[in-house]
């Protein structure tokens, strides 16, 4: 790196590397897109105007909100919450908790969602028409001491009425999701340096609080990206709700509407377009979540910075 | 809890032993530390210094012996001669009065400097956030970081991070501070600022147990130096004796190795600063009597 004084090199004006294959790829893609667009326009069976019409039908929109969106949100809330609990159980010192979490994950990962939903919708109702919540063996106990057998029952659920609602779908999808989320959360928790737990312990923080305040927020950085994928997958899996059967759901409604007009394809296109819209919105949300939980690890978000500067300025 | 009187030691460790998978790391350590005393723990790598510090605040459980801090038996309840292991909650409560600083700082990366310092007083002691923040700002000023409350740890130098870690520990108003090689992960030019804060803390009367290889700090600040090797205390006494005139050959061997390292290190620093690589080449094995980093700060 010797520099000759008096004749020092000036600014760099170099030719960039050429990328001929990029241009070839662009040409190929352009041709393919042109063919596709031309087929959309010339093949009338696509019938996009009708697809757009289907998208705006009240039952379809209702199916979108009450089935697809509510189902996704509900089952992900259940799945993430239960998944984190399972992950903490999996990593605890208590062998019973560890075992329970392991068996849960094993079972719910093995069973296909479609089958699980069918079981919840049809199978459980066949076995038990009512599910009572109360003292264990409360009925037998009450019978034995000769009082009304429902004395120790606090709450009774009519399964057959319950199993046709979206809540049954949320239960099924959420229980299944929890098994996957448990693995994701476990990986996230393990990704946090042990020194973090020790620093919190050394400050006198009890284990539960250490987990909630120190470990989990940092684990979120690892947990959020795959959870975004899981959420997007869940949007699509709500189309399985028909196994329960729940018909107030996007795909069934759109398909059904198309079928009635003897135009099946526009119905499918309408559903596809809605799924694309929902997933695009979710991807934007995922970006912001990742940024929030990545704070302190990379660039600091502007807004947080401003707020914190304000706090600092108070003193 | 109430057993401590002014002349009872703050830390009273008797015959502490600890093994990892059959490997006996501590072999019956006895150590008393009086209130306000600064003890520097010296010893070669693997001698058990870190392990002993971690035993004091129960980050490790001990296999034998007893440790009392401020009259409290750490980790156990002694009910008429039978020991009962304390619950995690009660062990956590015992740790509140013991601050610890780690070699690798272990600041909470997702929290700002201020949040790091405020976290434990609010979450553990139930202090009001406003009061905790005011106190945190005082402590940050004390460690020379009053201008950085809203920075994230990743935006700070190692020396600054370690000073935040000290402020974070001090926020719990500990009776005892444990330091495990607080400067050994730092670039040489950042060591001084951390030692200065620790020196300052010693002047304020804080009881401290410090594991460090900074001989200058040991000589100036320590009331007592304890030399450990292979899980036993080999020699202890005032720094002038243990460092200045070691009795045991293992202490002498260790100290002369330390001096060589410091010498080589100091010359490497000089060399890197002046760009003169020749200084490295003719570095002598054993140099002057004092380490070059004595005057850090
Ligand atoms: N968690 C552990 N599991 C197994 N062995 C351990 C563990 N922690 C420490 N040891 C062993 O205990 C011995 C003492 O370790 P310790 O960290 O206390 O030494 P040290 O004096 O602090 O050394 P250094 O100066 O290198 O930090 C070492 O041989 C180490 O390998
Ligand atoms: Mg160590």
């Amino acid at each position: 790196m010797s520099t000759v004084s008096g004749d020092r090199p000036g600014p760099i004006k170099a030719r960039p590397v050429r990328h001929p294959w990029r241009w070839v790829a662009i040409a190929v893609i352009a041709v393919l897109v042109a063919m596709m667009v031309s087929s959309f326009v010339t093949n009338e069976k696509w019938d996009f105007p009708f697809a757009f019409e289907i998208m705006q039908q009240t039952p379809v929109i209702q199916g979108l909100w009450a089935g697809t969106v509510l189902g996704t949100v509900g089952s992900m809330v259940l799945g993430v919450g239960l998944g984190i609990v399972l992950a903490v159980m999996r990593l605890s010192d208590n062998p019973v908790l560890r075992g329970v979490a392991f068996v849960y994950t094993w079972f719910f990962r093995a069973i296909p969602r479609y089958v699980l939903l069918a079981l919840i919708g049809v199978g459980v109702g066949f076995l038990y028409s009512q599910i009572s919540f109360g003292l264990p063996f409360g009925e037998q106990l009450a019978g034995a001491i000769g009082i009304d057998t429902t004395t120790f029952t606090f709450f009774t659920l009519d399964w057959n009425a319950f199993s046709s609602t979206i809540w049954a779908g949320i239960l099924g999808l959420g229980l299944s999701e929890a098994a996957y989320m448990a693995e994701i959360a476990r990986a996230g928790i393990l990704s946090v340096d042990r020194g973090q737990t020790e620093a919190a312990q050394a400050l006198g923080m009890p284990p539960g609080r250490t987990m909630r305040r120190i470990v989990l927020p940092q684990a979120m950085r690892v947990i959020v990206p795959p959870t975004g994928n899981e959420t997007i997958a869940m949007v699509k899996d709500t189309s399985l709700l028909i196994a329960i059967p729940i018909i107030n759901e996007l795909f069934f409604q759109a398909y059904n509407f198309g079928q009635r007009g003897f135009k099946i394809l526009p119905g499918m296109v309408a559903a596809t377009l809605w799924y694309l819209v929902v997933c695009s919105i979710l991807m934007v949300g995922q970006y912001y979540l990742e940024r929030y939980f990545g704070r302190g690890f990379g660039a600091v978000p502007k807004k947080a910075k401003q707020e914190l500067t304000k706090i600092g300025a108070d003193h | 809890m109430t057993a401590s009187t002014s002349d009872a030691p703050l830390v009273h460790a008797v015959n502490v032993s600890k093994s990892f998978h059959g490997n006996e790391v501590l072999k019956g350590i006895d150590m008393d530390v009086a209130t306000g005393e600064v003890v520097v723990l010296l010893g070669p790598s693997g001698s058990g210094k870190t392990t002993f510090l971690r035993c004091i605040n129960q980050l490790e459980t001990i296999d034998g012996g007893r440790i009392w801090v401020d009259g409290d038996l750490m980790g156990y309840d002694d009910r008429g001669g039978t020991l009962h292991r304390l619950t995690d909650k009660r062990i956590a409560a015992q740790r509140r009065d013991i601050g610890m600083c780690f070699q690798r700082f272990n600041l909470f990366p997702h929290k700002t400097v201020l949040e790091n310092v405020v976290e434990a007083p609010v979450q553990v002691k139930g202090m009001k956030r406003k009061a905790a923040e005011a106190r945190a700002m005082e402590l940050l000023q004390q460690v020379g970081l009053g201008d950085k409350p809203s920075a994230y740890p990743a935006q700070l130098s190692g020396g600054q991070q370690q000073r935040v870690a000290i402020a974070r520990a001090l926020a719990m108003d500990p009776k005892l501070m444990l330091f495990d090689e607080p400067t050994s992960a730092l670039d040489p030019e950042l060591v001084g600022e951390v030692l200065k804060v620790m020196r300052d803390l010693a002047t304020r009367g804080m009881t401290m147990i410090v594991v460090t290889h900074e001989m200058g700090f040991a000589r100036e600040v320590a009331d007592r130096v304890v030399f450990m090797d292979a899980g036993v205390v080999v020699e202890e006494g005032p720094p002038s004796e243990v460092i200045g005139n070691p009795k045991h050959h293992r202490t002498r061997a260790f100290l002369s190795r330390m001096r060589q390292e410091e010498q080589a290190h100091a010359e490497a620093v000089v060399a890197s600063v002046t760009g003169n690589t020749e200084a490295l080449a003719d570095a002598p094995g054993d140099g002057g009597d004092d380490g070059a980093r004595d005057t850090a700060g």
Side-chain angles (χ1 to χ4, degrees):
Chain A
M1 287 290 159
S2 64
T3 52
V4 186
S5 55
D7 185 22
R8 291 148 74 80
I12 291 178
K13 282 184 216 128
R15 299 260 162 88
V17 175
R18 305 268 175 223
H19 297 286
W21 287 106
R22 253 185 225 174
W23 294 103
V24 174
I26 288 171
V28 171
I29 291 165
V31 170
L32 288 176
V33 169
M35 283 164 68
M36 213 166 75
V37 169
S38 117
S39 129
F40 285 167
V41 176
T42 55
N43 188 341
E44 277 169 12
K45 281 185 231 153
W46 277 108
D47 204 346
F48 278 101
F50 190 53
F52 289 131
E53 211 175 293
I54 294 176
M55 281 179 79
Q56 292 160 40
Q57 294 302 315
T58 315
V60 173
I61 304 246
Q62 266 178 359
L64 171 70
W65 284 112
T68 305
V69 173
L70 181 61
T72 303
V73 172
S75 52
M76 283 313 291
V77 167
L78 178 59
V80 171
L82 188 56
I84 289 177
V85 170
L86 284 166
V88 172
M89 283 166 69
R90 222 18 226 288
L91 296 169
S92 87
D93 295 331
N94 183 332
V96 178
L97 294 183
R98 275 205 309 266
V100 169
F102 176 80
V103 171
Y104 181 98
T105 315
W106 165 78
F107 179 78
F108 280 99
R109 277 215 297 194
I111 184 164
R113 283 189 179 164
Y114 192 85
V115 176
L116 178 65
L117 290 173
L119 259 174
I120 287 181
V122 185
V124 176
F126 172 73
L127 288 170
Y128 312 98
S129 58
Q130 283 195 339
I131 295 189
S132 305
F133 298 89
L135 282 188
F137 300 105
E139 274 181 42
Q140 286 89 330
L141 183 68
I145 52 180
I147 51 175
D148 183 6
T149 52
T150 58
T151 311
F152 297 120
T153 305
F154 308 130
F155 173 68
T156 303
L157 179 72
D158 181 347
W159 188 267
N160 287 327
F162 170 78
S163 71
S164 57
T165 64
I166 184 68
W167 304 109
I170 287 175
L171 180 70
L173 291 173
L175 289 179
S176 167
E177 184 58 37
Y180 293 91
M181 282 309 306
E183 291 298 297
I184 292 171
R186 191 165 78 108
I189 291 170
L190 288 176
S191 77
V192 178
D193 180 22
R194 251 205 79 65
Q196 291 292 307
T197 309
E198 290 183 348
Q201 282 178 333
L203 288 165
M205 227 186 256
R209 213 167 267 244
T210 302
M211 183 52 81
R212 278 199 312 280
R213 301 274 317 169
I214 306 301
V215 177
L216 281 180
Q218 292 182 63
M220 287 313 260
R221 203 167 58 98
V222 172
I223 294 176
V224 165
T227 304
N229 289 340
E230 291 291 312
T231 310
I232 286 167
M234 185 58 81
V235 172
K236 299 177 292 183
D237 280 356
T238 55
S239 60
L240 298 175
L241 288 174
I242 194 64
I244 281 196
I246 291 169
I247 58 166
N248 195 12
E249 167 270 320
L250 174 62
F251 181 66
F252 184 87
Q253 291 298 333
Y255 186 83
N256 196 35
F257 201 88
Q259 207 175 23
R260 267 186 285 151
F262 301 105
K263 288 178 171 180
I264 296 176
L265 195 82
M268 293 177 177
V269 170
T272 303
L273 290 176
W274 267 129
Y275 284 124
L276 283 174
V277 169
V278 172
C279 289
S280 308
I281 294 171
L282 285 176
M283 282 163 76
V284 174
Q286 184 176 9
Y287 167 79
Y288 282 102
L289 266 182
E290 279 178 27
R291 208 172 68 159
Y292 175 76
F293 283 111
R295 72 195 188 285
F297 289 91
V300 183
K302 233 190 200 149
K303 188 147 174 269
K305 210 173 191 170
Q306 284 163 356
E307 274 169 24
L308 290 163
T309 325
K310 257 190 303 185
I311 296 175
D314 282 350
H315 297 279
Chain B
M1 279 158 232
T2 48
S4 81
T5 57
S6 55
D7 52 350
L10 184 69
V11 179
H12 181 48
V14 185
N15 199 23
V16 173
S17 63
K18 167 78 185 169
S19 303
F20 290 109
H21 321 291
N23 168 25
E24 199 172 21
V25 172
L26 300 179
K27 302 169 185 162
I29 304 275
D30 294 319
M31 190 182 293
D32 281 359
V33 181
T35 304
E37 196 179 16
V38 177
V39 172
V40 164
L41 260 182
L42 292 180
S45 183
S47 56
K49 308 179 296 289
T50 298
T51 306
F52 182 65
L53 278 196
R54 291 165 57 86
C55 286
I56 293 177
N57 70 355
Q58 291 291 302
L59 286 180
E60 306 283 358
T61 53
I62 58 179
D63 303 331
R66 306 279 187 277
I67 300 175
W68 287 269
V69 175
D70 200 19
D72 249 351
L73 179 61
M74 296 303 290
Y76 300 90
D77 194 7
D78 189 346
R79 295 185 206 156
T82 322
L83 293 188
H84 294 255
R85 180 77 183 149
L86 294 179
T87 60
D88 289 342
K89 268 219 170 79
R90 289 193 55 197
I91 291 176
Q94 286 189 325
R95 292 188 184 118
R96 286 183 199 182
D97 293 340
I98 306 173
M100 185 164 196
C101 287
F102 301 85
Q103 193 171 352
R104 302 227 50 100
F105 330 134
N106 296 352
L107 290 179
F108 306 133
H110 60 305
K111 293 180 180 292
T112 63
V113 165
L114 187 69
E115 289 168 341
N116 263 277
V117 181
V118 159
E119 180 69 15
V122 171
Q123 293 297 323
V124 179
K125 274 192 174 169
M127 225 169 138
K128 289 270 181 301
R129 184 162 289 274
K130 267 268 171 292
E133 280 181 1
R135 170 86 177 120
M137 284 309 294
E138 256 172 51
L139 288 167
L140 287 174
Q141 236 112 49
Q142 184 183 325
V143 300
L145 287 168
D147 55 337
K148 296 257 186 248
S150 51
Y152 280 93
Q155 298 166 322
L156 302 179
S157 75
Q160 291 172 327
Q161 288 189 50
Q162 192 61 292
R163 285 185 283 149
V164 174
I166 294 174
R168 179 177 69 175
L170 291 178
M172 289 297 284
D173 287 318
K175 297 191 179 102
L176 169 69
M177 284 286 290
L178 308 173
F179 291 88
D180 188 12
E181 300 197 33
T183 57
S184 59
L186 298 178
D187 290 338
E189 72 271 21
L190 302 178
V191 169
E193 62 190 54
V194 173
L195 291 183
K196 180 174 174 295
V197 168
M198 290 168 61
R199 205 170 270 157
D200 183 42
L201 207 55
T203 319
R204 289 165 185 249
M206 176 62 74
T207 313
M208 296 160 56
I209 305 181
V210 185
V211 175
T212 185
H213 292 309
E214 297 295 332
M215 290 302 160
F217 179 85
R219 226 182 315 242
E220 286 172 39
V221 185
D223 297 306
R224 187 152 49 99
V225 173
V226 175
F227 176 72
M228 273 176 72
D229 192 9
V232 295
V233 172
V234 173
E235 186 169 352
E236 64 178 303
S240 56
E241 278 176 31
V242 177
I243 299 175
N245 182 22
K247 305 242 169 353
H248 203 283
H249 68 93
R250 279 198 275 179
T251 320
R252 278 200 290 271
F254 171 76
L255 288 171
S256 89
R257 227 176 319 127
M258 289 298 303
R259 281 200 193 98
Q260 278 173 26
E261 270 168 34
E262 280 193 355
Q263 185 76 20
H265 192 94
E267 280 170 29
V269 171
V270 170
S272 72
V273 169
T274 59
N276 177 6
T277 43
E278 282 157 70
L280 261 181
D282 53 24
D286 198 351
D289 51 354
D290 281 11
R293 282 201 262 166
D294 277 7
T295 48

